[in-house]
Amino acid sequence: ELKVEQNPLFLSMQEGKNYTIYCNYSTTSDRLYWYRQDPGKSLESLFVLLSNGAVKQEGRLMASLDTKARLSTLHITAAVHDLSATYFCAVDKQSGSARQLTFGSGTQLTVLP
Amino acid sequence: GAVVSQHPSWVICKSGTSVKIECRSLDFQATTMFWYRQFPKQSLMLMATSNEGSKATYEQGVEKDKFLINHASLTLSTLTVTSAHPEDSSFYICSASPVYGYTFGSGTRLTVV
């Protein structure tokens, strides 16, 4: 059974600081996704990582993937209040005849002024 | 880009009644759609995979007679919560996969009173 572990669960940080969210998964995977969720809203796609060593950046967020270590990171640079949200990683894997996503537990990020 | 429309956004119903949630892929055909449930402060849990023209595949622990899924066309899947009870109150999110990646509906907040 595929397990996806995300840490930390809660992260409170000052504006302007840097931090990293970690996502470990238990079996080989084809793709890894990062999503953002604002309170009461659905998921917003941030990144999809396809291969070992993949790195993607958008604004103050950068995601990377190490398939050998089964680890993905989401790095936040110079955090601003607008980044406050819950971030999920999700692993895409073939299950029987279908593909499905398995989500991490989420990291609730609060950026303090 | 690929869009998934989900309705209603929120619904309040009396205990013992049934509620139907619709999920439509607006600009692509989806032979498979996914239904998730999210309790407050928790991650998304896959309930079932909806397959066009055939029976849905339910995850372990999800009652198929309580959560009826119909995927009658390539653009529409419905989830009916039958004989709803307060413990069914949750945020329900559907998803579909166009050629690449996953697209999520806006979610339905169900409150059973």
Side-chain angles (χ1 to χ4, degrees):
Chain A
E1 179 188 348
L2 173 61
K3 293 189 177 182
V4 182
E5 293 185 352
Q6 198 173 329
N7 67 85
L9 298 181
F10 300 95
L11 176 56
S12 182
M13 56 192 297
Q14 296 283 334
E15 278 192 328
K17 298 294 186 182
N18 305 332
Y19 209 84
T20 301
I21 299 171
Y22 298 88
C23 176
N24 289 93
Y25 52 98
S26 60
T27 66
T28 57
S29 166
D30 299 328
R31 298 173 196 152
L32 189 136
Y33 298 84
W34 284 96
Y35 296 96
R36 168 180 172 145
Q37 186 179 37
D38 291 298
K41 303 292 186 181
S42 187
L43 300 183
E44 174 190 349
S45 179
L46 295 175
F47 301 107
V48 54
L49 303 168
L50 300 177
S51 59
N52 188 44
V55 177
K56 291 198 174 179
Q57 183 166 2
E58 180 72 33
R60 300 175 188 274
L61 300 178
M62 183 173 71
S64 66
L65 178 63
D66 181 343
T67 58
K68 294 180 181 178
R70 296 176 187 165
L71 170 69
S72 180
T73 61
L74 181 66
H75 186 73
I76 303 155
T77 301
V80 293
H81 179 68
D82 285 351
L83 290 179
S84 296
T86 299
Y87 293 85
F88 292 96
C89 64
V91 174
D92 187 3
K93 188 170 177 65
Q94 192 83 19
S95 177
S97 60
R99 307 195 66 86
Q100 64 182 55
L101 281 179
T102 300
F103 284 84
S105 53
T107 296
Q108 185 176 323
L109 171 65
T110 302
V111 181
L112 303 171
Chain B
V3 177
V4 170
S5 174
Q6 185 174 344
H7 292 280
S9 298
W10 58 271
V11 57
I12 302 173
C13 70
K14 290 186 177 180
S15 187
T17 62
S18 296
V19 173
K20 180 184 285 188
I21 303 170
E22 291 189 349
C23 182
R24 294 180 184 272
S25 56
L26 297 186
D27 48 6
F28 66 99
Q29 293 183 332
T31 55
T32 302
M33 291 187 177
F34 306 90
W35 288 96
Y36 296 86
R37 180 168 54 183
Q38 185 181 33
F39 291 109
K41 303 295 185 183
Q42 294 188 22
S43 187
L44 280 75
M45 297 301 296
L46 180 65
M47 298 176 65
T49 301
S50 169
N51 304 298
E52 187 268 335
S54 64
K55 292 182 179 180
T57 304
Y58 290 82
E59 295 301 301
Q60 192 172 6
V62 177
E63 300 175 57
K64 60 181 180 181
D65 294 331
K66 181 171 184 61
F67 299 98
L68 300 179
I69 290 173
N70 184 281
H71 194 154
S73 78
L74 287 171
T75 59
L76 174 63
S77 176
T78 60
L79 169 67
T80 301
V81 183
T82 63
S83 186
H85 290 285
E87 57 266 30
D88 298 323
S89 297
S90 188
F91 192 49
Y92 293 85
I93 305 174
C94 70
S95 172
S97 182
V99 175
Y100 181 74
Y102 294 85
T103 300
F104 290 83
S106 55
T108 298
R109 174 77 57 195
L110 170 63
T111 303
V112 185
V113 298

